[in-house]
Amino acid sequence: MAAILLRAEGVNLSSFVFDCQDLSTVRGGGLILLDLSDAVEAEIRALGIEPMALTRGASQAMFLIPESSDPEGLAKKIEIGLSRHPQLRHATICVDAVQCSGDFPVDRARVIARNRWRQLRMGAVAYPRLHQGQEGKVCSTDFLRPAVRGEYSEATHVRRTHGIDQKHHFYEQEIATYAGRTGADFQFTNELTDLAASDVWGNLNGKMAVIHVDGNGIGALQREKCNTWERQREFSTGLRRQQAAFLSSLLDQIDKDVDWKSGDRFRLETLLWGGDEIIWVVPAWRGWELLRLFFENAARWSLLGTGITHSAGLVFCHHKAPIHEIVRLAKDLSEMAKRKGRQQQEKNLFAYQVLESFDHIGQPMDQRYLSGRYPFYSGDVSNPLVLEGLRMKPIAEAMPRAREAISKKKLYEVTKMLMTGTKERAAEAAQRAWKRMDAAVAAEAHACLDVFGEDSSRSLACWYHLAELVDYVAPEQLSN
């Protein structure tokens, strides 16, 4: 008998993680799926089988099962076991297994294809149990499932409770398992209101930054490099360890900086973690810094001897903005950076948006929207809205000088012309601004604008970047 390759994946995250505005419920959905690999392993061992874990991602796991002759029967038993799990039964999970042929890449492709086929045939929501006397009542949080626990559906109650109870344990467990660090004891804010509130940050008070990070070409690299199950395991574990090492260093950084804290609680939310995708929420005055730290750290990452890069989306907005829509926007921005990155040998790139109101939430980041809002936008390849991750530090260093060299009035004058008028009128406004500066100030302003990219002082887009980011990069506290 040959071995079996079994793969389980939690799918339809928009219906289990990002289907509501309640932060604890969103967090709980993500943390429950992070436990999927442990739950699958426990179900396999309950059958008297000792599995070997090959991958453990944010919502998926792959195991090598020693000699067995019934892959479909085994997958069905695991599926039934997960349907009885107190939390995972509320998620939609694909479980499939194939008999190993001796060609690992082919076997991996076969089991992933079966997962995808199963997903196409299943509902987007795990069908909830109905309870007598609860007919007609709808969950007040997800507005979809029947309410059976007061105002909550069973799925919302389970996710919300798990999100509250397990938030702190996630960080401790992750850095202990993959970074070898034990004894960490950190506390975190529970609501976005607390995370984003601070009177000393002026107009950033009550604002947050949502960050989506996604690896570039990780799947393709995996298919190229992982031609054996041993290399697959090394690939997955190596990525998780590098992520955990960064998380450990980030927590140390936060612990030393009072501006990262609300009392003794860290202002950090991790909504998705594992695989090659991460979603963070932090206060607006630390959003740029977190993404900068990530890019600087991840620039050294490699898998099986090959360096890897990332794309990211960063959204600054009010903490009351609908979190599921903001996450979607952050993902769209990350994809925008990824498209440009494909033309530049997969550099570490990111795109951002500053939402001073809710006007642009829900707009697709397509060519029509971008060309209409940004007259200087001319396509993904030369997209000036996308910046290099390793430029974040020099931009942060230049921003205080830019605030001194260029008044906000001049900035907004040029930017208004840039965003509402023609490109020619905006260029004229920029030239007038330069002429009114003395030589020393103009030289300093040029140097500040140049940090956004090569020849940026002659580009209209740099004025947009400066005006958008002037309050969010290296921000200044209110003076007493």
Side-chain angles (χ1 to χ4, degrees):
M1 292 185 293
I4 286 176
L5 189 64
L6 182 142
R7 187 176 189 274
E9 181 176 2
V11 295
N12 305 316
L13 302 193
S14 60
S15 298
F16 186 71
V17 180
F18 302 111
D19 62 338
C20 65
Q21 178 65 9
D22 182 69
L23 181 62
S24 295
T25 304
V26 172
R27 182 197 309 131
L31 292 179
I32 287 172
L33 289 178
L34 194 60
D35 293 336
L36 175 62
S37 60
D38 290 340
V40 172
E41 186 172 13
E43 292 294 333
I44 297 172
R45 286 182 171 168
L47 299 173
I49 302 171
E50 190 65 27
M52 178 177 293
L54 302 185
T55 65
R56 296 178 183 270
S59 60
Q60 59 86 24
M62 187 184 297
F63 293 90
L64 187 67
I65 312 296
E67 299 180 352
S68 180
S69 59
D70 185 15
E72 292 184 4
L74 176 61
K76 187 63 178 178
K77 290 177 181 178
I78 303 304
E79 182 183 342
I80 292 173
L82 294 178
S83 71
R84 296 169 180 162
H85 191 280
Q87 288 131 4
L88 288 168
R89 66 185 175 87
H90 299 288
T92 51
I93 300 173
C94 300
V95 184
D96 288 282
V98 297
Q99 203 89 46
C100 292
S101 66
D103 189 334
F104 179 75
V106 170
D107 296 335
R108 180 181 58 214
R110 286 168 56 214
V111 74
I112 292 175
R114 290 196 179 192
N115 278 168
R116 294 291 166 263
W117 177 242
R118 187 177 298 276
Q119 182 183 2
L120 289 172
R121 294 181 295 163
M122 71 189 338
V125 178
Y127 197 79
R129 298 174 183 173
L130 297 179
H131 296 258
Q132 185 128 19
Q134 296 291 333
E135 297 86 351
K137 296 182 179 180
V138 180
C139 177
S140 63
T141 299
D142 65 32
F143 301 106
L144 177 66
R145 300 170 179 88
V148 296
R149 286 180 173 264
E151 61 181 309
Y152 299 130
S153 65
E154 187 71 25
T156 294
H157 172 76
V158 165
R159 289 181 293 162
R160 193 171 189 277
T161 302
H162 193 77
I164 294 172
D165 294 344
Q166 297 299 315
K167 176 179 181 178
H168 311 295
H169 299 299
F170 153 69
Y171 298 97
E172 297 167 13
Q173 180 177 342
E174 191 68 17
I175 63 178
T177 303
Y178 293 99
R181 176 178 176 178
T182 59
D185 183 19
F186 303 115
Q187 298 297 312
F188 300 81
T189 54
N190 285 315
E191 302 296 337
L192 292 180
T193 304
D194 299 326
L195 178 146
S198 178
D199 293 337
V200 302
W201 290 103
N203 62 353
L204 299 189
N205 181 22
K207 293 182 180 179
M208 63 183 182
V210 178
I211 299 170
H212 174 262
V213 174
D214 194 15
N216 293 325
I218 300 298
L221 181 63
Q222 178 179 250
R223 291 189 294 272
E224 176 190 346
K225 296 285 188 179
C226 301
N227 53 6
T228 66
W229 64 262
E230 293 93 345
R231 289 176 70 81
Q232 177 70 69
R233 188 180 191 187
E234 182 183 351
F235 185 96
S236 177
T237 304
L239 178 59
R240 198 75 177 263
R241 283 176 176 167
Q242 290 171 102
Q243 291 171 335
F246 170 71
L247 182 62
S248 180
S249 66
L250 173 63
L251 293 173
D252 286 338
Q253 176 87 5
I254 294 174
D255 196 29
K256 298 172 185 175
D257 187 349
V258 66
D259 295 326
W260 268 104
K261 299 179 184 179
S262 175
D264 292 330
R265 295 183 177 271
F266 291 8
R267 301 176 189 261
L268 175 68
E269 278 289 343
T270 304
L271 301 184
L272 192 64
W273 179 268
D276 61 344
E277 192 174 11
I278 301 171
I279 300 176
W280 283 302
V281 183
V282 296
W285 58 89
R286 283 295 178 263
W288 188 269
E289 179 182 355
L290 173 52
L291 188 54
R292 174 186 67 80
L293 291 171
F294 174 82
F295 273 127
E296 291 176 358
N297 188 285
R300 303 188 297 271
W301 294 7
S302 65
L303 293 171
L304 299 180
T306 300
I308 60 174
T309 61
H310 294 80
S311 298
L314 169 62
V315 181
F316 295 103
C317 61
H318 195 276
H319 77 275
K320 291 185 178 180
I323 188 66
H324 54 288
E325 290 291 344
I326 298 300
V327 166
R328 183 196 59 76
L329 176 57
K331 288 184 175 182
D332 287 348
L333 292 166
S334 183
E335 183 59 31
M336 180 196 295
K338 193 180 291 282
R339 289 195 298 270
K340 183 172 181 179
R342 294 190 187 107
Q343 306 295 327
Q344 299 185 356
Q345 291 75 51
E346 303 288 8
K347 286 186 177 180
N348 290 297
L349 302 176
F350 74 100
Y352 70 91
Q353 286 271 278
V354 176
L355 301 181
E356 297 295 354
S357 68
F358 298 162
D359 293 348
H360 299 290
I361 296 178
Q363 293 276 2
M365 300 294 289
D366 55 18
Q367 295 275 61
R368 182 178 178 182
Y369 168 74
L370 293 170
S371 300
R373 188 178 183 195
Y374 308 104
F376 52 81
Y377 176 80
S378 58
D380 290 326
V381 176
S382 59
N383 189 351
L385 295 171
V386 177
L387 300 172
E388 292 184 24
L390 294 182
R391 285 190 178 273
M392 297 188 79
K393 184 175 182 179
I395 290 173
E397 292 172 344
M399 195 60 72
R401 303 199 311 272
R403 282 192 284 262
E404 292 181 8
I406 310 172
S407 69
K408 280 190 176 182
K409 182 179 179 181
K410 297 298 181 187
L411 265 180
Y412 295 148
E413 176 188 347
V414 175
T415 307
K416 183 178 180 180
M417 294 294 293
L418 174 63
M419 306 302 283
T420 61
T422 65
K423 185 181 294 187
E424 290 72 20
R425 291 176 64 192
E428 292 173 2
Q431 287 302 317
R432 288 197 300 271
W434 288 122
K435 289 178 180 179
R436 292 172 186 172
M437 298 179 190
D438 61 46
V441 172
E444 182 69 13
H446 268 296
C448 294
L449 292 170
D450 280 340
V451 298
F452 289 105
E454 186 178 357
D455 294 330
S456 65
S457 60
R458 292 187 288 277
S459 167
L460 298 178
C462 64
W463 288 92
Y464 161 78
H465 288 307
L466 200 57
E468 287 283 79
L469 297 172
V470 66
D471 289 331
Y472 292 89
V473 177
E476 298 174 341
Q477 293 185 1
L478 294 176
S479 56
N480 293 329

